[in-house]
Amino acid sequence: NFGVLALYWQAQWQKGTSVSGLIMAAGELGGLLALQILANKRVFNLRILRPFRKPMNLIMATLAASFAVALVTVPVFFLSALGSIGVHIVNVLLHSFCSECAAAWSPHDVYAFWIGRCYLSKRFSNATVAAATINLFFMEPLWPPRPYVFVA
């Protein structure tokens, strides 16, 4: 999403980088807000959320990411914007939940090593997906939703 968001919004909705940048910022802030809400003891201890603790939080966030990516391609401006913001919110959650799993499951004496490896693998994954989606975006015939359909 990061790699093609500005290109997509320009091609699909004729909106410049100020709009796509605002979408990214709203998503990142939404992710921060979601983490703050989920960290609240009352929310964290809700009975309905118990089945979604680690590692299910990571699995559910991955499913939510696929849904948000697919929502980007809906040919309704508001829904596409909501999906774009959702991708960024869920990305924040995914990164946080991955770190949480690494902290919970790695032995204390090698935690620093493994959290570093987790971070590098997340960066590699993001760079790989960005490169792939940019290539998909520029494939002929031009179809702006192609990268999102492929990733979803």
Side-chain angles (χ1 to χ4, degrees), residues 57-132:
N57 59 357
L58 189 56
I59 294 166
M60 296 306 292
T62 302
L63 293 173
S66 292
F67 177 76
V69 170
L71 192 58
V72 172
T73 66
V74 173
V76 176
F77 182 84
F78 174 75
L79 294 176
S80 184
L82 189 63
S84 296
I85 291 169
V87 167
H88 290 271
I89 290 172
V90 176
N91 188 57
V92 170
L93 297 176
L94 283 169
H95 285 274
S96 178
F97 296 161
C98 284
S99 296
E100 181 183 323
C101 287
W105 297 334
S106 63
H108 298 292
D109 58 331
V110 293
Y111 171 75
F113 176 75
W114 282 106
I115 198 68
R117 285 236 170 139
C118 289
Y119 180 79
L120 289 175
S121 65
K122 287 187 291 187
R123 293 292 121 213
F124 178 73
S125 172
N126 282 356
T128 303
V129 170

Side-chain angles (χ1 to χ4, degrees), residues 1-3 5-6 19-29 84-85 88:
N1 190 47
F2 304 107
L5 184 74
V19 172
S20 56
L22 184 62
I23 286 170
M24 286 187 216
E28 297 297 318
L29 288 172
S84 296
I85 291 169
H88 290 271

